[in-house]
Amino acid sequence: MSGALIPGIERILFTEEQIDARIREVAAEISQRYAGRTLTLIGVLKGSVFFLTALARHIEVPVKIDFLGISSFSNKSGSPGVVRIAKDLDESIEGEDVLLVEDIVDTGFTLRYLLQTLAGRTPNSLSVCTFLDRNSRRIVQVPVDFRCFEIPDRFVVGFGLDSNQLYRNLGYVAVMKHEKT
Ligand code: PRP
């Protein structure tokens, strides 16, 4: 389904070719930063899977891969940003150089929680790479070391991002006409 147009698209934000070219650039930056080391990529399910695999193929240092599953919800008073781990890592990250790989950073609540949690496991280093950064929606400040694209405050699908679990397998990223955030 990589290139097929789906109903409800307003416009394509990034084409497959643009995504591929940008991922290669970011992978080169990462390869340079971690030269001579082994890197552990941690993907946050489910959205980051497409980005993580594309990125990993262009990274030129040895990589290990692991995944975290999380649940996010509001607390009793309705405040957002409550996150918990639903599927933990398979391996220890103690002493490892870890790169947390996200599909998108919005409010920053998820990333703040994950960074706090993973830092407690004493990796040698802990950095963040995101495919998309919707910085205009940020509520808590979080460090982002590598990013592919900054995006506007619109609802987007494709390349891992979903609408009711659909459209993750699009090769491009598109803005939807009917917003659902
Ligand atoms: C997305 C994304 C991040 C989180 C970012 O996950 O993968 O984990 O939202 O949002 P925040 O910065 O506001 O915390 P989502 O809950 O959509 O799950 P998915 O990856 O399974 O689609």
Side-chain angles (χ1 to χ4, degrees), residues 12-29:
I12 291 182
L13 200 54
F14 306 115
T15 65
E16 283 195 66
E17 292 73 23
Q18 289 170 322
I19 291 169
D20 180 62
R22 183 66 187 131
I23 287 176
R24 286 171 188 265
E25 286 176 359
V26 171
E29 282 177 45

Side-chain angles (χ1 to χ4, degrees), residues 66-82:
D66 208 340
F67 291 96
L68 273 174
I70 51 155
S71 306
S72 322
F73 45 91
S74 301
N75 66 15
K76 283 178 190 156
S77 59
S79 304
V82 182

Side-chain angles (χ1 to χ4, degrees), residues 45-47 70 102-110 162 168:
L45 296 170
K46 305 171 190 162
I70 51 155
E102 269 288 20
D103 55 338
I104 188 164
V105 182
D106 266 332
T107 62
F109 283 126
T110 305
D162 73 303
R168 293 189 197 274

